[in-house]
């Protein structure tokens, strides 16, 4: 794996597509075991979580449905702290188990805000699956139930994660290369 450059910033390889695929299979097996016979609604948080949600959803070996919401809080490499629901959840949620699927939990504010909205819709259960988790950046009172990889608070791209809309299509995950950008 080679380094990549976007918007003049250099990123180095961090998590390979093979590692990602392996971890998604493990999480899918956990969810399948827990939700067999319960038909969970998988809620994919657009845009970043779509590759993770697609792979996770296909790896589930139980009945499940999928829905999409779009939230937005980032500009460039910094969280703006303001969370907007650009596309809301329209599927019936009342009385059903819901698993929210995110690409990354950083400050946790996006998830905290969305979970508050979601709970008002009276699901029977809410769990959170995130591909990446930066616990050192966490500023909200939330705890993901399924975590792909726990990572330090560095800026990353690839496998759905973007830099101003770019790099989502990278198969592997890359981290900002501080030495190359110094
Ligand atoms: P939070 O509200 O700070 O937890 O931010 C969550 C959202 O910010 C995620 O859904 C991502 O879209 C974006 N985000 C957080 N960290 C990164 C990163 O390292 N790279 C790209 N996007 C990120
Ligand atoms: Mg996101």
């Amino acid at each position: 794996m080679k380094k990549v450059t976007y918007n003049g910033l250099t990123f180095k390889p961090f998590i390979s597509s093979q590692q990602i695929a392996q971890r998604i299979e493990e999480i899918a097996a956990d969810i399948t075991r827990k939700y067999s016979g319960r038909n969970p609604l998988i809620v994919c948080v657009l845009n970043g979580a779509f590759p993770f949600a697609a792979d996770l959803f296909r790896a589930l070996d139980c009945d499940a449905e999928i829905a999409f919401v779009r939230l937005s809080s980032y500009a460039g490499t910094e969280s703006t702290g303001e969370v907007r629901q650009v596309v809301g959840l329209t599927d019936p949620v009342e009385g059903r188990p819901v698993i929210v699927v995110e690409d990354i939990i950083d400050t946790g504010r996006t998830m905290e805000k969305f979970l508050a909205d979601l709970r008002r819709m009276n699901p029977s259960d809410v769990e959170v699956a995130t591909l990446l988790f930066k616990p050192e950046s966490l500023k909200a009172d939330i705890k993901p139930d399924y975590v792909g990889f726990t990572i330090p608070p560095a800026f990353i791209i690839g496998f759905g994660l973007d830099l101003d809309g770019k790099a989502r299509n990278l198969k592997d995950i890359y981290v900002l290369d501080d030495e190359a950008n110094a």
Side-chain angles (χ1 to χ4, degrees):
M1 279 159 72
K2 287 203 201 82
K3 292 186 181 182
V4 295
T5 301
Y6 289 89
N7 292 1
L9 293 171
T10 300
F11 292 80
K12 60 186 179 188
F14 187 41
I15 304 172
S16 72
S17 57
Q18 291 84 353
Q19 287 174 283
I20 298 167
Q22 165 74 34
R23 196 65 196 107
I24 292 176
E25 289 294 334
E26 290 168 3
I27 294 172
D30 287 348
I31 293 175
T32 297
R33 227 173 287 124
K34 187 159 178 183
Y35 285 88
S36 207
R38 296 174 62 200
N39 191 24
L41 181 67
I42 309 300
V43 174
C44 168
V45 181
L46 295 172
N47 294 333
F50 90 89
F52 175 43
D55 287 357
L56 184 67
F57 188 61
R58 281 178 297 186
L60 294 178
D61 194 14
C62 60
D63 281 345
E65 292 174 32
I66 191 152
F68 301 87
V69 293
R70 181 150 183 225
L71 314 170
S72 180
S73 77
Y74 253 63
T77 60
E78 298 288 334
S79 179
T80 59
E82 214 180 284
V83 179
R84 293 186 303 132
Q85 257 210 57
V86 184
V87 175
L89 189 59
T90 52
D91 299 61
V93 159
E94 177 133 15
R96 300 189 61 176
V98 174
I99 304 172
V100 183
V101 176
E102 248 296 25
D103 52 357
I104 188 164
I105 294 179
D106 183 29
T107 65
R109 289 203 173 108
T110 307
M111 189 54 72
E112 185 179 48
K113 164 78 167 54
F114 179 62
L115 290 180
D117 290 351
L118 183 61
R119 290 209 168 93
R120 278 193 284 276
M121 298 171 78
N122 295 318
S124 64
D125 257 307
V126 178
E127 284 198 315
V128 174
T130 186
L131 181 62
L132 298 146
F133 181 36
K134 296 181 188 171
E136 289 167 53
S137 305
L138 198 62
K139 292 192 177 79
D141 183 22
I142 56 154
K143 194 182 162 293
D145 301 278
Y146 309 92
V147 174
F149 302 91
T150 298
I151 62 169
F155 189 77
I156 58 160
I157 56 168
F159 202 81
L161 290 130
D162 70 304
L163 174 61
D164 282 338
K166 297 198 191 92
R168 290 195 202 275
N169 54 322
L170 294 173
K171 290 181 184 63
D172 310 282
I173 291 174
Y174 294 75
V175 64
L176 199 57
D177 186 352
D178 287 332
E179 278 167 35
N181 297 311

